């Protein structure tokens, strides 16, 4: 009966787990979008180069101090999961399901560590990859505490809830007036955010912009302006080393594009400096606006 239940669960979960990779494969030919898996699937070389620059940056950042931040967040907000992992280790020798759970936790944590350099968002953002391991730990903690005292799981939940609600802030160092609440107004946009540069973009009257920042798709949609990434087929040739500058200039003129919005994010700047094909005298690059976080560049390719 237990095996049958497991098979039934797997049969129900498998289509849900495969839905997104199948959709991605149908649209791009690669279930992992453009990650190179032993050359089995086609990749977008510009996106691959973009990922490589980000991977190098985030790997270095994680090795420098990111793992300390991850340990801090786990200690603050994942105390039940940590307690559950210890409980599983304690009984794993004599309990096969607990041993399998420990193995699963280790696999999910290994996947999370491997994902850190690939996720453009830093260590805190990538911790969502560890969610299955955290869930297993929390369930194990609940079972263990309930066997000791039925009220302990609820008390543990109430004690750790403020830390979870205020992530990544520490509630012990955050005044209650600054805690999130439905009756308080949403916090103002952070300085250097994409909102600050929107008026400068609108002043150029573009119909399409090229950008490395995904936030502009939503922000510019009400103004009927499209925002495409560097690796879009519409413009990826501009960052492809195989494109001669003369050919890049011709295609840029024919595309009708003229505006690039570039974040001051170190990997983005490194990528553009390394791969952009707008070489003089075929192109003219003009900075038309600048904010704390972004540059608006007008890229012209005068006809010969």
């Amino acid at each position: 009966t237990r095996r049958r239940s497991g098979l039934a669960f797997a049969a129900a979960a498998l289509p849900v787990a495969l839905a997104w990779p199948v959709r991605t494969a149908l649209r791009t030919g690669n279930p992992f979008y453009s990650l190179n898996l032993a050359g089995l699937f086609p990749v977008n070389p510009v996106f691959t180069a973009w990922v490589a620059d980000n991977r190098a940056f985030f790997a270095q950042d994680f090795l420098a101090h990111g793992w300390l931040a991850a340990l801090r967040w786990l200690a603050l907000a994942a105390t039940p999961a940590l307690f559950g992992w210890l409980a599983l280790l304690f009984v794993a020798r004599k309990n096969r399901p607990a041993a399998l759970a420990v193995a699963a936790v280790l696999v999910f944590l290994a996947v999370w560590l491997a994902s850190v350099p690939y996720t453009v968002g830093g260590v805190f953002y990538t911790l969502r990859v560890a969610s299955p391991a955290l869930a297993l730990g929390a369930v194990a903690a609940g079972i263990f505490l309930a066997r000791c005292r039925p009220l302990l799981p609820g008390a543990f939940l109430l004690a750790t809830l403020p830390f979870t609600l205020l992530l990544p802030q520490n509630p012990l160092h955050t005044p209650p007036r600054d805690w999130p609440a439905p009756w308080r107004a949403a916090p103002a946009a952070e300085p250097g955010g994409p909102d600050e540069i929107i008026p400068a973009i609108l002043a150029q009257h573009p119909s399409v912009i090229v950008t490395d920042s995904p936030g502009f798709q939503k922000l510019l949609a009400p103004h009927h302006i499209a925002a495409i990434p560097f690796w879009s087929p519409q413009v990826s040739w501009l960052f492809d080393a195989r494109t001669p500058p003369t050919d890049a200039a011709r295609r840029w003129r024919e595309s009708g594009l003229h505006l690039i919005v570039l974040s001051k994010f170190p990997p983005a700047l490194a990528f553009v400096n390394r791969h952009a094909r707008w070489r003089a005298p075929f192109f003219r690059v003009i900075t038309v606006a600048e904010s704390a976080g972004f540059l608006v560049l007008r890229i012209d390719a005068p006809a010969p």
Side-chain angles (χ1 to χ4, degrees):
T1 304
R2 184 176 297 177
R3 179 177 297 180
R4 188 175 298 172
S5 299
L7 290 174
F9 174 80
L14 191 60
V16 178
L18 291 178
W20 188 260
V22 169
R23 174 187 179 274
T24 305
L26 291 174
R27 299 193 66 175
T28 68
N30 186 335
F32 307 103
Y33 185 54
S34 194
L35 295 181
N36 191 357
L37 186 66
L40 296 176
F41 305 105
V43 297
N44 182 325
V46 175
F47 182 80
T48 302
W50 168 260
V51 170
D53 283 0
N54 281 281
R55 184 172 66 243
F57 175 82
F58 282 107
Q60 183 178 3
D61 182 68
F62 181 76
L63 291 174
H65 54 77
W67 63 275
L68 286 173
L71 290 177
R72 172 181 175 272
W73 288 319
L74 288 172
L76 283 175
T79 311
L82 296 177
F83 183 84
W85 294 346
L86 292 175
L88 288 171
L89 284 173
F90 183 75
V91 300
R93 286 187 178 182
K94 300 179 181 179
N95 188 295
R96 187 182 178 188
L100 292 174
V102 169
V105 167
L106 292 176
V107 168
F108 286 126
L109 290 179
V111 171
W112 162 63
L113 287 172
S115 76
V116 172
Y118 288 90
T119 308
V120 185
V123 178
F124 180 69
Y125 183 79
T126 62
L127 278 170
R128 65 188 62 197
V129 181
S131 295
L134 297 173
L136 275 172
V139 170
I143 294 172
F144 185 83
L145 292 173
R147 288 183 175 180
C148 299
R149 291 287 188 277
L151 295 179
L152 278 180
F156 207 3
L157 173 64
L158 291 176
T160 57
L161 189 60
F163 294 90
T164 304
L165 292 177
L166 263 71
L167 271 176
Q169 282 77 34
N170 185 341
L172 299 179
H173 301 152
T174 305
R177 65 177 180 274
D178 296 332
W179 288 25
W183 57 85
R184 294 195 182 101
E190 294 184 6
D195 304 78
E196 293 183 4
I197 206 72
I198 293 295
I201 296 173
L202 299 180
Q204 297 295 312
H205 307 291
S207 57
V208 183
I209 68 164
V210 182
T211 181
D212 66 294
S213 178
F216 286 106
Q217 278 86 352
K218 182 177 180 180
L219 290 172
L220 293 175
H223 304 285
H224 307 289
I225 299 174
I228 58 175
F230 294 159
W231 51 89
S232 166
Q234 292 176 252
V235 75
S236 59
W237 41 265
L238 186 61
F239 304 94
D240 192 331
R242 297 169 298 182
T243 307
T246 52
D247 190 32
R250 176 185 58 79
R251 296 181 69 173
W252 183 256
R253 285 193 298 272
E254 294 172 353
S255 71
L257 299 168
H258 65 274
L259 215 61
I260 289 183
V261 181
L262 177 65
S263 70
K264 294 181 178 179
F265 186 47
L269 296 173
F271 174 86
V272 167
N273 288 333
R274 189 177 295 116
H275 298 284
R277 306 300 292 164
W278 51 62
R279 301 285 187 265
F282 310 102
F283 287 88
R284 184 170 59 244
V285 181
I286 305 168
T287 301
V288 297
E290 182 176 0
S291 71
F294 293 90
L295 291 167
V296 180
L297 305 177
R298 183 179 180 93
I299 312 296
D300 294 329

